[in-house]
Short mmCIF file of all heavy atoms in Angstrom, two decimals:
data_model
loop_
_atom_site.label_atom_id
_atom_site.label_comp_id
_atom_site.label_asym_id
_atom_site.label_seq_id
_atom_site.Cartn_x
_atom_site.Cartn_y
_atom_site.Cartn_z
N MET A 1125 178.05 24.19 172.27
CA MET A 1125 177.79 22.98 173.05
C MET A 1125 177.89 23.33 174.53
O MET A 1125 178.80 24.03 174.96
CB MET A 1125 178.79 21.87 172.71
CG MET A 1125 178.67 21.31 171.31
SD MET A 1125 179.74 19.87 171.05
CE MET A 1125 178.89 18.64 172.07
N THR A 1126 176.95 22.80 175.31
CA THR A 1126 177.00 23.03 176.75
C THR A 1126 178.07 22.13 177.38
O THR A 1126 178.54 21.17 176.76
CB THR A 1126 175.65 22.73 177.39
OG1 THR A 1126 175.38 21.31 177.25
CG2 THR A 1126 174.52 23.52 176.73
N ALA A 1127 178.41 22.46 178.62
CA ALA A 1127 179.38 21.65 179.34
C ALA A 1127 178.86 20.23 179.52
O ALA A 1127 179.62 19.26 179.42
CB ALA A 1127 179.69 22.28 180.69
N ALA A 1128 177.55 20.09 179.74
CA ALA A 1128 176.97 18.75 179.92
C ALA A 1128 177.06 17.96 178.64
O ALA A 1128 177.36 16.75 178.66
CB ALA A 1128 175.51 18.88 180.37
N GLU A 1129 176.81 18.61 177.48
CA GLU A 1129 176.90 17.90 176.21
C GLU A 1129 178.33 17.46 175.91
O GLU A 1129 178.56 16.34 175.47
CB GLU A 1129 176.38 18.81 175.09
CG GLU A 1129 174.88 19.05 175.12
CD GLU A 1129 174.44 20.10 174.13
OE1 GLU A 1129 175.26 20.96 173.74
OE2 GLU A 1129 173.27 20.07 173.72
N LEU A 1130 179.29 18.34 176.18
CA LEU A 1130 180.68 17.97 175.95
C LEU A 1130 181.11 16.86 176.89
O LEU A 1130 181.83 15.93 176.49
CB LEU A 1130 181.58 19.20 176.15
CG LEU A 1130 181.57 20.22 175.01
CD1 LEU A 1130 182.25 21.51 175.43
CD2 LEU A 1130 182.27 19.63 173.78
N ALA A 1131 180.68 16.95 178.14
CA ALA A 1131 181.04 15.91 179.11
C ALA A 1131 180.50 14.55 178.66
O ALA A 1131 181.18 13.53 178.79
CB ALA A 1131 180.50 16.27 180.49
N ARG A 1132 179.29 14.55 178.11
CA ARG A 1132 178.69 13.29 177.66
C ARG A 1132 179.45 12.74 176.44
O ARG A 1132 179.73 11.55 176.35
CB ARG A 1132 177.22 13.50 177.32
CG ARG A 1132 176.47 12.25 176.94
CD ARG A 1132 174.97 12.45 176.92
NE ARG A 1132 174.58 13.54 176.03
CZ ARG A 1132 174.13 14.72 176.45
NH1 ARG A 1132 174.05 14.99 177.75
NH2 ARG A 1132 173.78 15.67 175.58
N GLU A 1133 179.79 13.61 175.51
CA GLU A 1133 180.51 13.16 174.31
C GLU A 1133 181.91 12.68 174.64
O GLU A 1133 182.41 11.71 174.06
CB GLU A 1133 180.58 14.29 173.28
CG GLU A 1133 179.25 14.67 172.64
CD GLU A 1133 178.86 13.68 171.56
OE1 GLU A 1133 179.67 12.80 171.22
OE2 GLU A 1133 177.72 13.80 171.05
N LEU A 1134 182.58 13.38 175.57
CA LEU A 1134 183.97 13.04 175.90
C LEU A 1134 184.09 12.02 177.02
O LEU A 1134 185.20 11.57 177.34
CB LEU A 1134 184.72 14.33 176.31
CG LEU A 1134 184.79 15.43 175.24
CD1 LEU A 1134 185.39 16.70 175.81
CD2 LEU A 1134 185.60 14.95 174.03
N GLU A 1135 182.94 11.69 177.64
CA GLU A 1135 182.90 10.71 178.73
C GLU A 1135 183.78 11.14 179.90
O GLU A 1135 184.58 10.37 180.44
CB GLU A 1135 183.32 9.32 178.23
CG GLU A 1135 182.39 8.77 177.16
CD GLU A 1135 182.78 7.39 176.67
OE1 GLU A 1135 183.90 6.94 177.02
OE2 GLU A 1135 181.98 6.76 175.97
N VAL A 1136 183.64 12.42 180.27
CA VAL A 1136 184.34 12.98 181.43
C VAL A 1136 183.35 13.81 182.23
O VAL A 1136 182.18 13.95 181.86
CB VAL A 1136 185.54 13.86 180.99
CG1 VAL A 1136 186.60 13.03 180.28
CG2 VAL A 1136 185.07 15.01 180.10
N SER A 1137 183.82 14.40 183.33
CA SER A 1137 182.95 15.27 184.14
C SER A 1137 182.93 16.68 183.57
O SER A 1137 183.79 17.06 182.77
CB SER A 1137 183.48 15.31 185.58
OG SER A 1137 184.74 15.96 185.63
N GLU A 1138 181.93 17.46 183.98
CA GLU A 1138 181.84 18.84 183.53
C GLU A 1138 183.02 19.66 184.04
O GLU A 1138 183.48 20.60 183.39
CB GLU A 1138 180.51 19.46 183.98
CG GLU A 1138 179.29 18.83 183.28
CD GLU A 1138 178.00 19.55 183.65
OE1 GLU A 1138 178.05 20.77 183.91
OE2 GLU A 1138 176.94 18.90 183.65
N ARG A 1139 183.52 19.30 185.22
CA ARG A 1139 184.70 20.00 185.75
C ARG A 1139 185.90 19.77 184.84
O ARG A 1139 186.68 20.69 184.58
CB ARG A 1139 184.99 19.52 187.17
CG ARG A 1139 186.18 20.22 187.82
CD ARG A 1139 186.33 19.80 189.27
NE ARG A 1139 185.16 20.21 190.05
CZ ARG A 1139 185.04 19.97 191.35
NH1 ARG A 1139 186.00 19.30 192.00
NH2 ARG A 1139 183.97 20.37 192.02
N THR A 1140 186.04 18.53 184.33
CA THR A 1140 187.14 18.26 183.39
C THR A 1140 186.97 19.04 182.10
O THR A 1140 187.96 19.53 181.53
CB THR A 1140 187.20 16.74 183.08
OG1 THR A 1140 187.44 16.03 184.30
CG2 THR A 1140 188.31 16.43 182.09
N VAL A 1141 185.74 19.19 181.63
CA VAL A 1141 185.48 20.00 180.44
C VAL A 1141 185.95 21.43 180.67
O VAL A 1141 186.58 22.05 179.79
CB VAL A 1141 183.99 19.96 180.08
CG1 VAL A 1141 183.66 21.02 179.02
CG2 VAL A 1141 183.59 18.58 179.58
N THR A 1142 185.65 21.98 181.85
CA THR A 1142 186.08 23.35 182.15
C THR A 1142 187.59 23.48 182.13
O THR A 1142 188.14 24.42 181.55
CB THR A 1142 185.53 23.77 183.54
OG1 THR A 1142 184.10 23.67 183.54
CG2 THR A 1142 185.95 25.20 183.87
N ARG A 1143 188.28 22.50 182.72
CA ARG A 1143 189.75 22.54 182.73
C ARG A 1143 190.30 22.39 181.32
O ARG A 1143 191.26 23.06 180.94
CB ARG A 1143 190.30 21.43 183.64
CG ARG A 1143 190.07 21.68 185.11
CD ARG A 1143 191.01 20.82 185.94
NE ARG A 1143 190.74 19.40 185.74
CZ ARG A 1143 189.95 18.67 186.52
NH1 ARG A 1143 189.36 19.22 187.56
NH2 ARG A 1143 189.75 17.38 186.27
N ASP A 1144 189.69 21.51 180.51
CA ASP A 1144 190.18 21.32 179.14
C ASP A 1144 189.96 22.57 178.31
O ASP A 1144 190.82 22.93 177.47
CB ASP A 1144 189.45 20.14 178.50
CG ASP A 1144 189.95 18.80 179.03
OD1 ASP A 1144 190.94 18.79 179.78
OD2 ASP A 1144 189.34 17.76 178.69
N ALA A 1145 188.83 23.24 178.49
CA ALA A 1145 188.57 24.47 177.75
C ALA A 1145 189.60 25.54 178.11
O ALA A 1145 190.09 26.28 177.24
CB ALA A 1145 187.16 24.97 178.03
N GLN A 1146 189.97 25.62 179.39
CA GLN A 1146 190.99 26.56 179.82
C GLN A 1146 192.34 26.23 179.19
O GLN A 1146 193.07 27.11 178.73
CB GLN A 1146 191.10 26.55 181.35
CG GLN A 1146 192.13 27.50 181.92
CD GLN A 1146 191.79 28.95 181.66
OE1 GLN A 1146 190.61 29.31 181.58
NE2 GLN A 1146 192.81 29.80 181.51
N ALA A 1147 192.67 24.92 179.13
CA ALA A 1147 193.93 24.50 178.55
C ALA A 1147 193.99 24.84 177.06
O ALA A 1147 195.02 25.29 176.55
CB ALA A 1147 194.13 23.00 178.75
N LEU A 1148 192.89 24.67 176.36
CA LEU A 1148 192.84 25.00 174.94
C LEU A 1148 193.01 26.51 174.74
O LEU A 1148 193.72 26.95 173.82
CB LEU A 1148 191.52 24.53 174.32
CG LEU A 1148 191.37 23.03 174.11
CD1 LEU A 1148 189.93 22.69 173.70
CD2 LEU A 1148 192.34 22.53 173.05
N SER A 1149 192.35 27.29 175.57
CA SER A 1149 192.47 28.74 175.47
C SER A 1149 193.90 29.19 175.69
O SER A 1149 194.41 30.05 174.96
CB SER A 1149 191.52 29.40 176.48
OG SER A 1149 191.61 30.81 176.39
N GLU A 1150 194.57 28.61 176.68
CA GLU A 1150 195.97 28.97 176.95
C GLU A 1150 196.88 28.54 175.83
O GLU A 1150 197.95 29.14 175.63
CB GLU A 1150 196.40 28.32 178.27
CG GLU A 1150 195.69 28.88 179.51
CD GLU A 1150 196.03 28.11 180.76
OE1 GLU A 1150 196.75 27.08 180.64
OE2 GLU A 1150 195.59 28.52 181.85
N ALA A 1151 196.48 27.51 175.06
CA ALA A 1151 197.29 27.04 173.93
C ALA A 1151 197.01 27.82 172.66
O ALA A 1151 197.59 27.53 171.61
CB ALA A 1151 197.03 25.56 173.70
N GLY A 1152 196.11 28.80 172.73
CA GLY A 1152 195.83 29.63 171.57
C GLY A 1152 194.60 29.26 170.78
O GLY A 1152 194.31 29.89 169.76
N VAL A 1153 193.87 28.25 171.22
CA VAL A 1153 192.61 27.89 170.55
C VAL A 1153 191.51 28.77 171.12
O VAL A 1153 191.26 28.75 172.33
CB VAL A 1153 192.26 26.40 170.76
CG1 VAL A 1153 190.94 26.06 170.07
CG2 VAL A 1153 193.37 25.53 170.21
N PRO A 1154 190.82 29.57 170.31
CA PRO A 1154 189.85 30.56 170.82
C PRO A 1154 188.54 29.92 171.27
O PRO A 1154 187.50 30.03 170.59
CB PRO A 1154 189.65 31.49 169.62
CG PRO A 1154 189.88 30.64 168.43
CD PRO A 1154 190.96 29.67 168.83
N VAL A 1155 188.58 29.27 172.41
CA VAL A 1155 187.36 28.68 172.98
C VAL A 1155 186.73 29.73 173.88
O VAL A 1155 187.38 30.29 174.78
CB VAL A 1155 187.69 27.42 173.81
CG1 VAL A 1155 186.42 26.86 174.44
CG2 VAL A 1155 188.32 26.37 172.90
N TYR A 1156 185.46 30.03 173.65
CA TYR A 1156 184.77 31.06 174.41
C TYR A 1156 183.60 30.43 175.16
O TYR A 1156 182.84 29.63 174.60
CB TYR A 1156 184.24 32.15 173.46
CG TYR A 1156 183.47 33.25 174.15
CD1 TYR A 1156 184.13 34.20 174.94
CD2 TYR A 1156 182.09 33.34 173.99
CE1 TYR A 1156 183.41 35.21 175.57
CE2 TYR A 1156 181.37 34.35 174.61
CZ TYR A 1156 182.03 35.28 175.40
OH TYR A 1156 181.32 36.27 176.03
N ALA A 1157 183.46 30.80 176.45
CA ALA A 1157 182.39 30.26 177.28
C ALA A 1157 181.34 31.34 177.50
O ALA A 1157 181.67 32.45 177.96
CB ALA A 1157 182.93 29.77 178.61
N GLU A 1158 180.11 31.02 177.18
CA GLU A 1158 178.99 31.93 177.41
C GLU A 1158 178.15 31.42 178.56
O GLU A 1158 177.80 30.24 178.60
CB GLU A 1158 178.11 32.05 176.15
CG GLU A 1158 178.79 32.70 174.96
CD GLU A 1158 177.86 32.79 173.76
OE1 GLU A 1158 177.03 31.86 173.60
OE2 GLU A 1158 177.95 33.75 173.01
N ARG A 1159 177.86 32.27 179.51
CA ARG A 1159 177.05 31.88 180.65
C ARG A 1159 175.58 32.05 180.34
O ARG A 1159 175.19 32.68 179.36
CB ARG A 1159 177.43 32.71 181.87
CG ARG A 1159 178.88 32.53 182.30
CD ARG A 1159 179.19 33.29 183.58
NE ARG A 1159 180.57 33.12 183.98
CZ ARG A 1159 181.05 32.09 184.66
NH1 ARG A 1159 180.21 31.14 185.05
NH2 ARG A 1159 182.32 32.02 184.97
N GLY A 1160 174.76 31.48 181.19
CA GLY A 1160 173.32 31.63 181.03
C GLY A 1160 172.66 30.38 180.47
O GLY A 1160 173.31 29.42 180.09
#
Side-chain angles (χ1 to χ4, degrees):
M1125 293 187 70
T1126 66
E1129 290 172 335
L1130 284 168
R1132 184 167 57 252
E1133 291 281 353
L1134 299 173
E1135 298 181 348
V1136 295
S1137 67
E1138 292 186 30
R1139 182 174 297 180
T1140 299
V1141 169
T1142 302
R1143 289 198 297 265
D1144 285 352
Q1146 180 65 31
L1148 287 171
S1149 180
E1150 293 173 355
V1153 179
V1155 178
Y1156 178 73
E1158 293 180 326
R1159 299 185 180 277

